[in-house]
Amino acid sequence: RDQNDRETRNTSQRMTKEAREARRAQRAAEAKERQANILAELGILEEAVRNGTHPEYIRLLSEIEKKRESRIQITK
């Protein structure tokens, strides 16, 4: 009976270890997928800035142009 209990315990511990390893692998795969998504999004944003179509970039350029025009008017 002692041997049987020991085998059962080792089997359940092994299952737990296997479950932990599976969870670890799942988390690693999810992290890799998140990283790929983030890099893809950054690529899209970078392309939008290069093309001059990124909304925040356009807004900032507009503000800069308004300030510039305002300063030009003040100096006249």
Side-chain angles (χ1 to χ4, degrees):
R1 179 173 169 166
D2 235 359
Q3 182 66 22
N4 190 22
D5 286 344
R6 196 172 305 139
E7 285 178 17
T8 303
R9 194 175 331 122
N10 287 338
T11 301
S12 67
Q13 287 173 346
R14 235 180 277 122
M15 298 268 292
T16 302
K17 183 178 179 183
E18 290 169 357
R20 277 194 308 260
E21 289 173 356
R23 276 185 266 143
R24 188 175 299 126
Q26 178 66 30
R27 283 193 303 267
E30 289 171 354
K32 191 172 185 176
E33 183 179 348
R34 279 192 306 272
Q35 183 181 22
N37 290 340
I38 288 169
L39 290 175
E41 185 178 342
L42 285 174
I44 291 168
L45 290 172
E46 182 180 11
E47 189 65 27
V49 169
R50 282 188 185 149
N51 293 336
T53 59
H54 189 278
E56 185 69 11
Y57 179 75
I58 293 169
R59 186 185 65 75
L60 289 172
L61 285 179
S62 175
E63 285 181 19
I64 290 168
E65 188 61 32
K66 286 177 187 175
K67 287 179 184 178
R68 182 172 170 245
E69 289 298 321
S70 173
R71 289 182 182 168
I72 289 173
Q73 292 299 323
I74 290 172
T75 59
K76 285 186 177 180

